[in-house]
């Protein structure tokens, strides 16, 4: 991609996580070069694994990495929810659509491996971004004192996004719910088959998804408990907290938590999300700067769509940019206005999808977060009316690149 003005970089992507790498890969598939700025010194996966529904797999198919990832994770063919408070069993609508759980490191590595050399620049911490007063082009200020001129910037820098703050977005809100995630290995094989199991007692909920015949990913959510010590800095303390949380659960779950890999444990003190009203009213584009993934629509993991929604963003954004900046431009010269139109098309296409995911996640999160029976009732009513097909979000298709 070549703009009319000669500046140092074409498209700069801030953040080398799942969304940033996916966006760079989608652009690469369309023949558009980009530069990814990642503040860490190497690829760093926040979290343990990522649950990918069928909509996410459609996006991965477009990115060209789905076939490899399918070899690393078995499909989930059924689901079961059990309440230990009343011993009720309920089947979950799982198995009709593709559902797998993959390691975040596997996903990030395969996307990075498919990018041109030197696409990702590590150790680049973006402190701020401004628009040049003369050209209106984005100028990024880096921590090392240098500045970087870009023709377009895509903020994929997560829940505390520098780019979204530049657009006037407020800080993300929190649910008073904490989460622990981890892996447990079973050298002789586990007993869970290919079933997603969700078990709840009081305010503690444990979910497990078999990844292979010898590896299980699990997560635990519970009400946040104020702590003086920083448990998240100690893998052993995280493990102790998880074990204490499931002391009244079936032995298979207690053993799974007790025998987990301490190195894999990850604690989220709070569940962060961007309010639906903020997504609705804000434009999320300033000049040729926009956002994607958690930087735009951070959502708690209650419907496991945060990662897949980021993959969808990448596909749609690359498609819109390619359509506006390549097709029908014989000279290859692209104006600032064309890029702005492409970003507007991307936001217009994605906004209805993102709003529904955000609202559904918020309602479920609120039911976990509140102790008010009235508020829970209101959330249930809204869920029944708006999201009567509770798993309809998995059938979404972001389209082709």
């Amino acid at each position: 991609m070549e703009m009319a003005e000669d500046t140092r970089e074409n498209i700069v992507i801030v953040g080398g996580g799942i969304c940033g790498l996916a966006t760079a890969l989608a652009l690469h598939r369309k023949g558009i070069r980009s530069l990814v700025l990642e503040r860490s010194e190497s690829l760093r996966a926040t979290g343990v694994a990522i649950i990918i529904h069928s909509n996410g797999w459609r996006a991965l198919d477009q990115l060209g990495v789905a076939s490899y990832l399918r070899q690393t994770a078995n499909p989930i063919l059924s689901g079961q929810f059990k309440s230990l408070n009343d011993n009720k069993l309920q089947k979950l609508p799982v198995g009709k659509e593709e559902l797998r759980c993959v390691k975040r490191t596997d996903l990030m590595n395969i996307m990075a491996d498919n990018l041109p050399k030197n696409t990702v620049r590590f150790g680049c911490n973006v402190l701020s971004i401004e628009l040049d007063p003369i050209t209106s082009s984005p100028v990024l200020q880096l921590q090392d004192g240098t500045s970087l001129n870009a023709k377009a910037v895509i903020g994929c820098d997560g829940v505390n996004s520098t780019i979204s703050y530049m657009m006037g977005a407020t800080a993300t809100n929190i649910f008073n719910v904490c989460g622990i995630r981890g892996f447990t290995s079973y050298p002789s094989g586990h007993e869970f088959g290919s079933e997603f199991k969700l078990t709840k007692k009081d305010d503690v909920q444990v979910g497990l998804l078999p990844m292979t015949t010898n590896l299980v990913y699990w997560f635990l959510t519970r009400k946040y408990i104020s702590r003086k010590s920083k448990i998240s800095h100690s893998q052993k303390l995280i493990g102790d907290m998880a074990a204490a949380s499931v002391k009244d659960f079936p032995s298979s779950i207690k053993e799974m938590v007790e025998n987990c890999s301490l190195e894999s444990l990850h604690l989220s003190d709070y569940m962060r999300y961007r309010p639906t009203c903020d997504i609705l009213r804000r434009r999320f584009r300033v000049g040729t700067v926009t956002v994607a993934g958690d930087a735009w629509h951070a959502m708690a993991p209650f419907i496991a769509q945060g990662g897949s929604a980021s993959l969808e963003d990448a596909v749609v954004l690359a498609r819109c940019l390619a359509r506006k900046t390549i097709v029908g431009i014989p000279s290859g010269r692209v104006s600032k206005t064309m890029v702005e139109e492409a970003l507007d098309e991307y936001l217009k296409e994605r906004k209805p999808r993102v709003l529904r995911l955000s609202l559904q996640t918020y309602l479920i999160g609120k039911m976990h977060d509140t102790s008010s029976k009235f508020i829970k009732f209101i959330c249930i009513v809204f869920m029944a009316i708006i999201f009567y097909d509770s798993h309809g979000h998995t059938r979404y298709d972001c389209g082709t690149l």
Side-chain angles (χ1 to χ4, degrees), residues 12 41 50 60 106 111 113 117 119 127 150 154 161 169 173 195 218 254 259 309 336 375 392-393 399:
V12 172
E41 297 298 330
I50 176 172
L60 289 170
D106 287 346
M111 290 194 293
D113 289 345
K117 188 177 180 180
T119 296
L127 296 180
I154 304 167
S161 168
N173 289 359
E195 186 172 51
W218 57 269
K254 289 192 290 187
N259 297 327
K336 175 176 173 287
I375 294 178
H393 56 86

Side-chain angles (χ1 to χ4, degrees), residues 201 204 220 241-251 253-254 258:
K201 180 176 175 60
V204 179
L220 179 157
M241 179 183 174
S245 299
V246 300
K247 60 183 177 61
D248 296 324
F249 278 63
S251 59
I253 293 178
K254 289 192 290 187
E258 291 168 358

